[in-house]
DNA sequence: ACTACGATTACCT
DNA sequence: GGTAATCGTAGTG
């Protein structure tokens, strides 16, 4: 996959305007692309988590809108970037505006712009380049300034489908790092992909 | 204004 | 396996 698939266009808003678990599973195998310094950086999404609009105490939207989570309540396809532990994580907003649902992108398989991504991470090993939600934001230089951007527009941050990419077998399990609703199987990974942040618990 | 805490990561044994 | 580092957000006074 030598060249980034920028000619294929971003996923349409209708892709995101569906039940969040469906969007989370369908985002696997898509390309996350970041235009920076005249080059495209990014990779293939291999791990996601769904955060639901209702009955999900782990979601940032659970206690209603605040200044910090406002973009989570905006149109489907909006980018929601939030800070945590002095780092950042990236979500795609799902379902209709006002719902407060999103998909956290937890890991990508690094493909395009390996040299600049290694520089941003101060690391060489591909396994630790983008295999975590804050790692991939650091590799792609995404921070709070990008919060609220439209992922469906032709901007510097896009999620696009890869034509001719074989559908990957998807598996699910409990989400990582949360304190509430830990048993819901809302984490989705491409089976056996080595670039996930952690393996699924043994079934 | 003060304080507690987190959808994390890196580094340690 | 465990834990310290780090800082913006949100809740409280």
């Amino acid at each position: 996959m030598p060249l980034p698939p920028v000619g294929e266009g971003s996923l349409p808003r209708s892709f995101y305007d569906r039940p969040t678990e469906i969007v989370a599973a369908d985002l696997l195998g898509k390309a996350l692309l970041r235009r920076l310094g005249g080059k495209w950086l990014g990779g293939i999404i291999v791990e996601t988590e769904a955060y639901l609009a209702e009955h999900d105490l782990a979601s940032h939207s659970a206690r209603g809108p605040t200044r910090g989570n406002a973009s989570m309540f905006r149109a489907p396809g909006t980018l929601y970037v939030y800070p945590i532990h002095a780092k950042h994580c990236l979500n795609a907003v799902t379902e209709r505006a006002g719902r407060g649902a999103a998909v956290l992108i937890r890991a990508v398989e690094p493909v395009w712009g390996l040299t600049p991504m290694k520089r941003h991470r101060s690391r060489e090993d591909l396994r630790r380049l983008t295999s975590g939600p804050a790692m991939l934001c650091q590799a792609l230089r995404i921070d709070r300034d990008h919060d609220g951007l439209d992922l469906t527009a032709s901007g510097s941050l896009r999620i696009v489908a890869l034509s001719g990419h074989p559908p990957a077998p998807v598996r699910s399990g409990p989400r990582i790092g949360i304190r509430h609703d830990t048993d819901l199987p809302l984490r989705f990974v491409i089976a056996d992909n080595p670039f996930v942040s952690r393996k699924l618990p043994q079934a």
Side-chain angles (χ1 to χ4, degrees):
Chain A
M1 219 151 298
L3 293 176
V6 286
E8 309 192 22
S10 298
L11 296 175
R13 198 169 308 282
S14 58
F15 177 92
Y16 300 98
D17 189 10
R18 296 183 297 157
T20 302
E21 309 94 303
I22 303 295
V23 178
D26 282 359
L27 278 172
L28 298 175
K30 303 296 191 291
L32 173 65
L33 296 174
R34 163 81 160 120
R35 178 92 170 161
L36 191 69
K39 298 182 177 184
W40 285 99
L41 323 187
I44 298 171
I45 297 170
V46 299
E47 176 181 354
T48 61
E49 283 178 358
Y51 286 87
L52 308 181
E54 296 173 310
H55 308 115
D56 182 3
L57 293 193
S59 174
H60 290 173
S61 63
R63 283 178 249 178
T66 64
R67 183 162 96 257
N69 68 13
S71 57
M72 212 177 156
F73 292 85
R74 294 177 60 181
T78 298
L79 184 70
Y80 169 46
V81 181
Y82 69 90
I84 183 168
H85 290 285
K87 301 168 182 65
H88 291 89
C89 298
L90 161 172
N91 297 250
V93 175
T94 58
E95 307 185 24
R96 69 178 189 274
R99 290 276 290 161
V103 173
L104 170 68
I105 298 179
R106 286 195 53 92
V108 306
E109 177 172 340
V111 178
W112 303 283
L114 300 184
T115 301
M117 289 198 291
K118 288 176 180 176
R119 176 160 29 87
H120 300 156
R121 290 274 298 132
S122 303
R123 277 169 200 278
E124 288 290 316
D125 50 322
L126 294 183
R127 287 292 311 277
R128 290 266 176 266
L129 206 57
T130 54
S131 293
M135 292 187 200
L136 71 90
C137 281
Q138 186 180 28
L140 297 178
R141 278 211 181 160
I142 294 167
D143 59 31
R144 200 89 220 265
D145 291 344
H146 304 278
D147 179 56
L149 291 184
D150 184 2
L151 284 170
T152 69
S154 297
S156 62
L157 262 168
R158 305 182 189 181
I159 298 176
V160 311
L162 293 168
S163 65
H165 202 69
V170 172
R171 304 191 56 187
S172 65
R175 295 174 293 183
I176 292 177
I178 54 173
R179 307 193 31 172
H180 301 290
D181 289 314
T182 54
D183 289 339
L184 301 176
L186 294 177
R187 175 176 177 240
F188 301 88
V189 301
I190 294 180
D192 301 321
N193 188 284
F195 294 96
V196 298
S197 66
R198 279 159 62 175
K199 291 182 176 176
L200 285 177
Q202 190 55 291

